[in-house]
Amino acid sequence: MSAPTKELLVVEDLRKWFPVRRSLADVLAGRERRYVRAVDGVSFTVVCSEVFCLVGESGCGKTTTGRLIVRALRPTSGKMLYRVSEEVLDALRALHVRLEGDSFVDLAGRFRGKADKLLRREVQMILQDPYGSLNPRQTIRDILEEPLIIHGIGGSRDERLELVVKALKDVKLTPPEEFLDRYPHQLSGGQRQRVNIARALLLKPKLIVADEPVSMLDVSIRAEILQLMLELRDVKNLTYVFITHDLAVANNICDRIAVMYLGKIVELGPATEVIRNPLHPYTKALIAAIPEPDPRKGRAIKEVPIKGEVPNAVNVPPGCRLHPRCPYAEERCRREEPELKDVGGGHLVACHLY
Amino acid sequence: MTLLEVKDLHVHYRTLKGVVRAVEGVTFELGRGEALGIGGESGCGKSTLAFALMKLIPPPGRIVKGKVILDGKDLTGLPEDVLRKEVRWKEVSMVFQGAMNALCPVFTIGDQLAGPLMYHWGMSRREALERAAEALEMVGLHSDMLRRYPHELSGGQKQRVVIAMAILLNPKLIIADEPTTALDVIVQAQIMNLFKKLKKELSSSLVFITHDLSLIADIADKVAIMYGGKLVEFGPAEEVFIEPKHPYTHLLLSSIPRIDRRTKLTWIPGTPPDLRNPPPGCRFWPRCPHAMDICKKEEPPMVELGRGHRVLCHLYA
């Protein structure tokens, strides 16, 4: 690899607030509009050909962040600078799309027509639920052909068929002919997830957002899908934003990890560093809570320092968001929000303890 | 002292597309106060086995053969009304999968907990609510919860209520079917701690069903691994986890991603068998790295390895 630290995506102060519906009584009483602060000021950089993990419990904003990156949602504020390749850059210039710097496009902006399609090809998503994400009334061939038709790739039906067959081979659904005319219900969970991956890869994207791609699969086949994703990264020169709640999975496939809590990143760093040497009390608790398949280590009541459950993202606690659950909370944590600070070696943590 | 004995249990579902042999010839025993963990991939028959222990298999499922002996009584022979009045909840209770949906949304927690006490123990409403408050305290909830409705509770709290419901009548056996699947890791650890605490305080036995072998290692004294409707390995937790004998158990354990080290990822190739039409011989041979000719033809015998450890495999015959 020529330049291993070339940024592909730079996310700056990204926010997504969902308004909460007010009742008529609220409106009459003049109560202020309230928001679910799903993503609330998140900044990170994804480097070319790495696996970047967003880890956190449900409701921490990791999926919303993923959906913002693929432009399924529009952010409330913030920037998502994406480095486009030379060919696409020329095409975008011809369409008079506003560029940031010499080779970045802000994905938070609005795009129309051709520019929109060009950018959508660049960033694709693998969805979590292999049972719900494939149309039950379409055959595998129809499912995989659809993005090609939409993007006008492959002139004839035969040409498209060739591309679909190749995509099936890429994800090791062989022989491909056997899968073309099948319906999703005739496939196992693992096979469906392969179809999902094939669909994401058909448009030759550079960046893939994978939202919990293995959480609904049996443990016995998870590794097979993860290994396939890693192989495809090397062959197709992909970069992953990998969203998961499972730190053990993250430990085994990720280069860098960002731990999210209530819409903020609380810790970010190289995977081995974050897992071997966690600094934030929340990360420590997440790691302590993972059960290990060794009866000699279990049995005893486990110390889980963090109490209770994640609060509602409408009423975000002031100061540090973790302070009501944190065993080390001091006066300062209740007032001041800690900033994400570098403690050395690219390991960042947002905690007043450091 | 043995509390539960399951002998050669067969459960079949008769469907239009053929008979699904969900549980085939399962035999095991469980002592008083012991915890048994049943593990395996989805579709291996572990949930069906759990429901069979209460004789609560949804139609078209039926116990076609075998016995479930709880405290000397064969449940398979008992009529439905006796089961309902004398056995279910009083002797065996269950923590259902997806506690989120196991509570009725239109009754308060108090009403839902008081119901079984009034029905089974003939308590007055007031007495029942007092006992319900005690049960809530045991699972770490405040008695204020009695007046609340399920939608006012968080996922972890609902799970605790469902566990309180299961321990309400001091049953001899509690069955927990994937009790933590819908929960976050931190809440999962809290609920596992609760199970460990209850196991110490109550004398009940526990059957813990999950696809996550790490959770079994966390709580179980004995482990049963199921594959394709059959019990393929059974034994004390230490032995099964540290020296797994069946190739399936071995592969299943090594496919768990670990937090304490970064390992090469391994998996089990292929898919589990179709239980309508399982392969001849050993059900695992199409995926087994040690498959021999005999595995494809003859069903493997259950081999005793001593200390209650047994395995269904030709390698040890």
Side-chain angles (χ1 to χ4, degrees), chain A residues 57-58 218 220 223-224 227 248 251-252 254 286 291-292 294-302 304 306 308-309, chain B residues 41-42 154 156 184 187 189-190 193 196 214 217-218 220 237-238 241-242 257-263 266-268:
Chain A
E57 293 183 284
S58 38
D218 267 311
S220 55
E224 195 177 2
Q227 189 62 41
N251 179 37
N252 280 280
C254 292
L286 274 184
E292 278 187 71
D294 188 341
R296 291 168 298 192
K297 290 186 185 170
R299 301 288 171 74
I301 302 271
K302 231 183 235 152
V304 183
I306 300 289
E309 287 174 60
Chain B
E41 289 170 280
S42 41
S154 71
D184 279 315
V187 182
Q190 291 164 356
N193 280 345
K196 289 177 199 168
S214 313
D218 216 27
E238 272 82 2
F241 276 94
I242 294 154
R258 301 288 295 256
I259 189 76
D260 54 347
R261 54 178 181 260
R262 209 172 165 135
T263 45
T266 58
W267 63 86
I268 310 179

Side-chain angles (χ1 to χ4, degrees), chain A residues 56-59 188 191 217-227 230-231 245-255 271-272 275-276 282 285-304 306-310 325, chain B residues 40-43 46 154-157 184-190 192-194 196-197 199-200 211-222 237-238 241-242 248 252-253 255-272 287:
Chain A
E57 293 183 284
S58 38
S188 70
Q191 288 170 333
L217 304 176
D218 267 311
V219 180
S220 55
I221 56 167
R222 276 184 196 172
E224 195 177 2
I225 297 292
L226 294 174
Q227 189 62 41
L230 290 180
E231 278 168 26
H245 68 277
D246 189 340
L247 267 170
V249 167
N251 179 37
N252 280 280
I253 75 152
C254 292
D255 300 307
T272 41
I275 287 177
R276 295 286 137 68
Y282 181 66
L286 274 184
I287 292 172
I290 296 174
E292 278 187 71
D294 188 341
R296 291 168 298 192
K297 290 186 185 170
R299 301 288 171 74
I301 302 271
K302 231 183 235 152
E303 271 308 311
V304 183
I306 300 289
K307 307 272 170 304
E309 287 174 60
V310 185
R325 303 173 72 194
Chain B
E41 289 170 280
S42 41
K46 55 190 192 302
S154 71
Q157 286 171 331
D184 279 315
V185 258
I186 291 182
V187 182
Q188 170 172 287
Q190 291 164 356
M192 289 309 289
N193 280 345
L194 172 61
K196 289 177 199 168
K197 183 185 124 201
K199 196 185 147 209
K200 258 192 213 145
H211 67 277
D212 188 343
L213 292 186
S214 313
L215 293 178
I216 292 181
D218 216 27
I219 192 159
D221 305 303
K222 285 188 177 168
E238 272 82 2
F241 276 94
I242 294 154
Y248 178 63
L252 206 52
L253 281 171
S255 59
I256 302 173
R258 301 288 295 256
I259 189 76
D260 54 347
R261 54 178 181 260
R262 209 172 165 135
T263 45
K264 182 147 177 32
L265 300 168
T266 58
W267 63 86
I268 310 179
T271 46
R287 302 171 79 187

Side-chain angles (χ1 to χ4, degrees), chain B residues 3 14 20 32 67-68 162 191 202 218 243:
Chain B
L3 172 75
R14 285 217 178 140
V20 179
R32 269 171 220 278
K67 287 184 173 144
V68 177
V162 174
I191 297 291
L202 307 169
D218 216 27
E243 276 184 76

Side-chain angles (χ1 to χ4, degrees), chain B residues 31-286:
Chain B
R32 269 171 220 278
E34 274 187 330
L36 167 71
I38 303 179
E41 289 170 280
S42 41
C44 72
K46 55 190 192 302
S47 283
T48 300
L49 177 60
F51 281 103
L53 297 182
M54 283 182 102
K55 219 188 157 195
L56 206 61
I57 304 162
R62 221 160 59 83
I63 296 177
V64 291
K65 199 178 154 198
K67 287 184 173 144
V68 177
I69 302 167
L70 181 78
D71 214 8
K73 250 185 300 190
D74 180 11
L75 303 188
T76 54
L78 293 179
E80 191 60 19
D81 61 323
V82 177
L83 280 168
R84 194 169 60 236
K85 280 188 196 139
E86 303 293 334
V87 180
R88 286 188 202 130
W89 235 249
K90 247 181 174 172
E91 310 249 305
V92 199
S93 67
M94 193 158 185
V95 179
F96 292 97
Q97 189 169 2
M100 317 293 149
N101 312 317
L103 295 169
C104 180
V106 298
F107 287 99
T108 60
I109 302 301
D111 283 333
Q112 298 190 52
L113 287 172
L117 289 163
M118 286 151 69
Y119 178 83
H120 284 287
W121 284 0
M123 279 182 158
S124 71
R125 203 182 126 79
R126 197 145 152 217
E127 288 168 328
L129 284 174
E130 267 170 37
R131 166 77 189 128
E134 275 172 38
L136 283 179
E137 219 155 276
M138 286 195 74
V139 298
L141 291 175
H142 197 267
S143 55
D144 283 357
M145 288 284 167
L146 287 174
R147 280 189 297 276
R148 302 239 209 129
Y149 286 90
H151 75 266
E152 298 175 82
L153 275 56
S154 71
Q157 286 171 331
K158 274 187 241 180
Q159 190 63 58
R160 283 170 195 267
V161 169
V162 174
I163 295 169
M165 216 174 244
I167 62 171
L168 211 51
L169 300 178
N170 296 326
K172 293 173 186 143
L173 178 67
I174 299 169
I175 301 164
D177 186 11
E178 303 266 12
T180 63
T181 25
L183 305 173
D184 279 315
V185 258
I186 291 182
V187 182
Q188 170 172 287
Q190 291 164 356
I191 297 291
M192 289 309 289
N193 280 345
L194 172 61
F195 271 112
K196 289 177 199 168
K197 183 185 124 201
L198 291 175
K199 196 185 147 209
K200 258 192 213 145
E201 288 171 7
L202 307 169
S203 53
S204 314
S205 302
L206 178 67
V207 172
F208 196 94
I209 293 158
T210 174
H211 67 277
D212 188 343
L213 292 186
S214 313
L215 293 178
I216 292 181
D218 216 27
I219 192 159
D221 305 303
K222 285 188 177 168
V223 182
I225 305 291
M226 286 188 74
Y227 184 79
K230 298 216 170 208
L231 196 68
V232 295
E233 186 159 2
F234 183 84
E238 272 82 2
E239 293 212 10
V240 176
F241 276 94
I242 294 154
E243 276 184 76
K245 292 290 187 245
H246 199 284
Y248 178 63
T249 316
H250 188 80
L251 288 169
L252 206 52
L253 281 171
S254 51
S255 59
I256 302 173
R258 301 288 295 256
I259 189 76
D260 54 347
R261 54 178 181 260
R262 209 172 165 135
T263 45
K264 182 147 177 32
L265 300 168
T266 58
W267 63 86
I268 310 179
T271 46
D274 179 356
L275 295 182
R276 284 186 305 245
N277 197 1
C282 171
R283 290 185 179 185
F284 189 56
W285 77 257

